[in-house]
Amino acid sequence: MRARALAAAGVLIGSSCAAVVSETRRERGPLLRTFERQGPKEPAGLRAEVHARWPSLEVRVLSSSTCRAEVVREYAEEVVTERSAKAAGPSLALGVTTMAVGTALLVFRGSFSAEPDTTTIDGSGHYGASQRQIATGWGIGLVLVGAPSIALGGIGLGQSGESVSKRLVDQVSDATESRCDDKPVNGKLAVLGPSGAQEGRATENGVVSLPPEALRGTVVGLALDGQPVGLDADDEEELEAFRACARVLPLGDDAAVAQMPVPELIVKLEAAGRCAGLPGAGGAEAAARLTDALAARAAPVSQTFEDAVAALSPSVALAPGSADLVKLSHGGVPEGTAARLSGTVVRSAGPNLVLVEVGAQDVLVETNGAWPEPGPRRGQKVEAVGVLVGRKVVGELDAPLLRAMFVRAAP
Amino acid sequence: MHTASNVAHLRRPPAAIISAPMRAWLVGMSIAAIAAGCSGPPAPDAEVCKDLVHRLCAPAPCFVAINALNLGTNCEADLLARTRCDDPDFTFPDPPGRDRVLECRRPLLREGLELDRHPSCVDVQDMLDFCPDVVAWLTESPP
């Protein structure tokens, strides 16, 4: 009897729980307008603009920002929130029924017999409850359960429904970034070499002039008061041309040129070729004089391999496993060094430019004359004699460059 | 003209309207209300005594009861005569007293509260083993 009563109470209480489920959906409406707006500015650091006016290089240091312009599409959007309590209806119905039965039992409790159940005596020595007691107990229990069930069902139904709110939504459809807010910066500009920064030169209104001697050696970058200064590709190219001029100019008189060893002639010719791109510096004239001098000393096309070896007297032998190759890979071979190379063609890297693999080291071989028949092809074993003229960057490739005077297929 | 070009659904977890403490209170109140209506007034000693005798002698009486209580063929009549429960003004002697008799009667209720429910003989044995004072009263032996 008691167990049945507890089970019934549990069912009734369990039914009194009504959960509210909230579901939100967004419905995008039509495009209202498209407009452009400026995004936040980001500092872009220091950069330099380079203007070569031989014999000085004018460097203008600027600080700038990156400005972001966004094309924005504005839409109308409706946010629809639907709330539903699936258990509210059953909870309300069961609550009403339970409440009605409970109330009826309490109202009509007087109709039930008040005589105890004398057919049973429980463990404590009491008779069984009278029908009126039982009706009263159930009536109270049902009312206690029914009332909250009605209340909860009502709340659930009250909370059910749909609410709609409208708002504007921005969507960035396109964004462009550009440099802006260029401002000259003053400080001490230093040229960075492999062994560190040179002595700095003070800028005035962001501008400083550098003499050729400041840029004659290897340059790895620029710094203003220790902060790195970047260069655009055009400015970097102009800086390299100025450096080439600084290495070759002044060339000296004809007697001095005539006394230059062949490797030096080749190195200076390389630099003069680059310097020729700088108007007014005299690089083209120097290149012509060097070409003539080189032709007089060692005709590049007509000579044999042995003649070229004899003319250059290469002091470095670049062959797989050679000590000189290890020195080259560690940057231990200076520019202008005559070298003899034995390797395997990897691919053509440009007009008159072939990538050759020497052991684990790649070397770019540049020739003015024709490549031995049938032309460069992968896997071809070649021998070359020429002058190392520094490094060359071709795309992602950065390798030592050998200006070859003669190339032949390896025997 | 409204165009639903992009519809996103966000479902939130359901929220229970009734909290756990509230539900526990409802359960407790309901159990208390129902329990309050489950028993009537205390039964007189005579009725408790006759209930005990009836359960011990419900046919067929357990052998352990007959043996321990020295009962003859008319078990119920013998015990009623010994205890004098037939008297409407009967009250339990002390010892064993009403509370002790009720305590010792409990094993006989394990099979059910109904009067015609025969107790198991194991329960009868329990009652006889653990209630020597009641056995003494039922056999009219001095305590």
Side-chain angles (χ1 to χ4, degrees), chain B residues 77-101:
Chain B
D78 280 356
L79 282 179
L80 288 173
R82 286 184 202 169
T83 57
R84 292 177 283 280
C85 290
D86 277 340
D87 184 353
D89 297 327
F90 167 81
T91 56
F92 286 107
D94 192 10
R98 176 184 170 95
D99 290 344
R100 177 65 175 158
V101 171

Side-chain angles (χ1 to χ4, degrees), chain A residues 328-353:
Chain A
L328 178 68
S329 64
H330 288 91
V333 180
E335 287 182 23
T337 304
R340 181 174 176 162
L341 173 147
S342 299
T344 306
V345 172
V346 177
R347 61 183 166 86
S348 176
N352 294 327
L353 192 63

Side-chain angles (χ1 to χ4, degrees), chain A residues 35-39 68-72 170-172:
Chain A
F35 61 97
E36 193 168 304
R37 74 179 175 202
Q38 295 300 316
R68 182 182 165 92
E70 297 174 337
V71 177
V72 181
D170 292 347
Q171 186 181 45
V172 177

Side-chain angles (χ1 to χ4, degrees), chain A residues 183-237:
Chain A
K183 281 180 281 189
V185 185
N186 286 325
K188 284 203 165 185
L189 183 76
V191 176
L192 303 178
S195 56
Q198 297 178 14
E199 188 182 354
R201 291 174 169 81
T203 63
E204 192 173 326
N205 199 24
V207 178
V208 65
S209 286
L210 299 179
E213 49 271 19
L215 298 161
R216 202 159 274 156
T218 303
V219 174
V220 297
L222 300 172
L224 185 79
D225 294 337
Q227 289 187 34
V229 177
L231 289 171
D232 288 347
D234 290 349
D235 292 306
E236 197 163 344
E237 200 172 310

Side-chain angles (χ1 to χ4, degrees), chain A residues 269-363:
Chain A
L269 179 58
E270 173 79 17
R274 282 194 183 184
C275 176
L278 211 62
E285 183 193 350
R289 289 177 59 200
L290 287 166
T291 304
D292 291 345
L294 194 58
R297 303 278 293 281
V301 181
S302 59
Q303 68 182 184
T304 63
F305 188 82
E306 285 71 21
D307 289 341
V309 171
L312 291 176
S313 302
S315 57
V316 167
L318 301 177
S322 71
D324 290 335
L325 188 68
V326 176
K327 276 175 69 178
L328 178 68
S329 64
H330 288 91
V333 180
E335 287 182 23
T337 304
R340 181 174 176 162
L341 173 147
S342 299
T344 306
V345 172
V346 177
R347 61 183 166 86
S348 176
N352 294 327
L353 192 63
V354 176
L355 180 63
V356 176
E357 186 181 64
V358 185
Q361 176 69 49
D362 288 339
V363 178

Side-chain angles (χ1 to χ4, degrees), chain A residues 123-146:
Chain A
S124 63
H126 288 77
Y127 282 130
S130 67
Q131 290 181 356
R132 184 177 295 172
Q133 279 180 293
I134 293 172
T136 303
W138 274 103
I140 292 171
L142 292 174
V143 168
L144 281 175
V145 172

